[in-house]
Amino acid sequence: MTKDRVLIFDTTLRDGEQSPGATMTHEEKLEIAELLDDMGVDIIEAGFPIASEGDFRAVSEIAQRSKNSTICGLARANFKDIDRCADAIKHAGSGRIHTFIGTSPLHRAIPNLTMDEMAQKIHETVSHARNLCDNVQWSPMDATRTEWDYLCRVIEIAIKAGATTINIPDTVGYTAPAESADLIKRLIETVPGADDVIFATHCHNDLGMATANALAAVAGGARQIECTVNGLGERAGNTALEEVVMALKVRNDIMPYTTGVDTTKIMNISRRVATASGFPVQFNKAIVGKNAFAHESGIHQDGMLKNKETFEIMRPEDVGLAGTSLPLGKHSGRAALRAKLETLGFDMADNQLNDLFVRFKDLADRKKEVYDDDIVALIRQNDTVEDHIKFKSLRVVCGTEGPQTADLTLLVGGEEKSVHATGDGPVDATFNAVKAIFPHGGRLDLYQVHAVTKGTDAQATVSVKLEEDGRIATGQSADTDTVVASAKAYINAINRLIVRREKSAPGDDIKNVNYKDTI
Ligand code: KIV
Ligand code: ZN
């Protein structure tokens, strides 16, 4: 690898999935891994194999399918985790074991290990991993709050035991950019053997500095950036893949490093991850937010018409957005829809296009202009797992004169069921109706509505999150009728909950792994 090449390590499927509520289905993980592989991500951290059967299966299948990327699994500092991880990645063209332990005083206190005991454990576990795989990454979790001398000591031990990548996590997002650069630089200068390994940076976004810290670490000598699509991740998330990749591209004059990522695939994967995780992208998010290339004020629009560079430092096309957003309408035909899909980066089989076309026409009848985001929302509606419950019809009565009521018909396992329910508002009445037809223990954790495009006839996208016995499922849907979108999103979440019930024991997911227990 040349010195100016920075490896992109994507951990959307591991750290990203650890975001509360961001559980993805197996099929979604495979699809996202395929997109990451195709867009040129160097390393994909596909999961935490010991965490659950589901995680093991996902890592293992992604390892078998990946064409270009190295596939990595996470393991705590014990032989059982490491063996399970080695087993999951064994069929990868190129596989990596990533093992970690918390080295700061706060984290050492949890397993109650002395500095010497922990150092010994690092030697044993990294050596064990290296005996199973010649590509081993080691992370001192909470590195940025670990004593300097101890950090140097344990990194040296890990390198001697065979680690090939040393990752320096800012686990709690505490570091500032100048410190981030300085830390990596001093470690490379100080630790014996540092020149023989790659230093990586893994930054959390608690103070909103994750991307800046990652880029500063590169200036300090790091040559691997750990990141996630849309910045998904624990608490405030991680360094966003799209941000670091575009920053390195646009500001190559002062950051002369390259990545292997095809930036034109960014928008597509961002949308896919938003749908799968149930975390819509905030409108003003850098690069991938709906407003990132929108110009509202007269002065800005005027400037843009005269010269795009007046208010744009990158072209929408560079991230895979169609430069101009020409709305389709009810007179648009199949060819226009196909052309639009191509510009949006969707490649659809004929039968999928036919289905989408029917729904597009239905929407165009109800709405004057159908924008790019409307089309994406229509496609997302179809991104559901095989549904046990299907929406058939809904009529609600709402307004100031209560009670608000819902008459709902669903197909449950193919059988039609109808009910009349009341509630505190039309959405509450609708959700009560769903519960009356299909009783379940899912607690509503989140209900969110936003308009996809402008105008009172805009489609509303609704996200719903349910929690049942530690299992979390999210659902999304879009419709010009907010209550219908709500019903469909709620049903979508229940369908996912049913799949999760079948695939896992209660609470059997990555969020329930305790690192203290098996160190
Ligand atoms: O944030 C963190 O420290 C991690 C480690 C497992 C690398 O995600
Ligand atoms: Zn992390």
Side-chain angles (χ1 to χ4, degrees), residues 380-394:
R380 283 178 186 167
Q381 275 176 274
N382 243 19
D383 285 339
T384 51
V385 289
E386 188 43 46
D387 292 341
H388 180 62
I389 309 172
K390 292 196 171 101
F391 174 88
K392 184 123 194 268
S393 66
L394 174 69

Side-chain angles (χ1 to χ4, degrees), residues 178-368:
E179 291 173 305
S180 179
D182 185 59
L183 178 61
I184 299 281
K185 182 168 177 290
R186 284 196 298 133
L187 285 172
I188 293 174
E189 283 166 2
T190 312
V191 177
D195 285 340
D196 303 328
V197 298
I198 289 182
F199 272 74
T201 179
H202 176 111
C203 303
H204 280 267
N205 202 32
D206 298 66
L207 292 172
M209 295 194 282
T211 296
N213 283 337
L215 294 169
V218 170
R223 287 295 175 270
Q224 176 180 300
I225 296 178
E226 307 211 354
C227 50
T228 57
V229 176
N230 298 342
L232 212 59
E234 293 267 15
R235 307 181 308 280
N238 291 61
T239 300
L241 178 146
E242 61 278 4
E243 290 177 9
V244 282
V245 169
M246 286 311 289
L248 290 176
K249 183 170 177 158
V250 175
R251 293 311 313 272
N252 201 255
D253 53 336
I254 55 156
M255 296 184 284
Y257 313 102
T258 58
T259 74
V261 173
D262 176 353
T263 64
T264 63
K265 310 245 161 119
I266 282 177
M267 229 30 237
N268 189 25
I269 193 160
S270 164
R271 286 170 169 157
R272 195 64 197 91
V273 168
T275 312
S277 65
F279 276 45
V281 176
Q282 80 194 49
F283 286 3
N284 58 338
K285 178 125 182 83
I287 321 290
V288 289
K290 164 172 158 27
N291 289 353
F293 293 93
H295 305 275
E296 184 84 30
S297 83
I299 294 175
H300 284 221
Q301 287 188 348
D302 190 42
M304 283 295 293
L305 288 171
K306 294 191 167 106
N307 179 354
K308 290 195 168 139
E309 286 178 26
T310 49
F311 290 104
E312 272 181 7
I313 56 167
M314 54 201 149
R315 297 175 314 149
E317 294 87 340
D318 294 340
V319 298
L321 266 181
T324 48
S325 178
L326 294 180
L328 298 175
K330 66 176 176 186
H331 301 298
S332 307
R334 217 173 284 258
L337 180 62
R338 186 182 281 288
K340 174 64 80 184
L341 290 171
E342 273 164 20
T343 62
L344 292 173
F346 292 98
D347 181 19
M348 284 203 166
D350 283 348
N351 59 338
Q352 288 173 306
L353 179 76
N354 289 344
D355 172 63
L356 184 71
F357 188 67
V358 172
R359 291 186 296 120
F360 157 72
K361 280 287 180 186
D362 175 51
L363 179 67
D365 272 340
R366 290 181 282 137
K367 200 169 179 291
K368 275 198 296 293

Side-chain angles (χ1 to χ4, degrees), residues 14-15 18 74 98 100 139-142 167 169-171 202 204 226 238:
R14 198 279 297 170
D15 208 323
Q18 282 175 225
L74 185 69
H98 175 195
F100 74 101
S139 296
M141 187 166 73
D142 207 14
N167 176 38
D170 182 25
T171 305
H202 176 111
H204 280 267
E226 307 211 354
N238 291 61

Side-chain angles (χ1 to χ4, degrees), residues 385-386 494-504:
V385 289
E386 188 43 46
I494 297 174
N495 280 321
R496 284 163 169 240
L497 205 54
I498 295 169
V499 173
R500 290 195 66 73
R501 276 186 202 152
E502 285 162 5
K503 287 192 177 162
S504 65

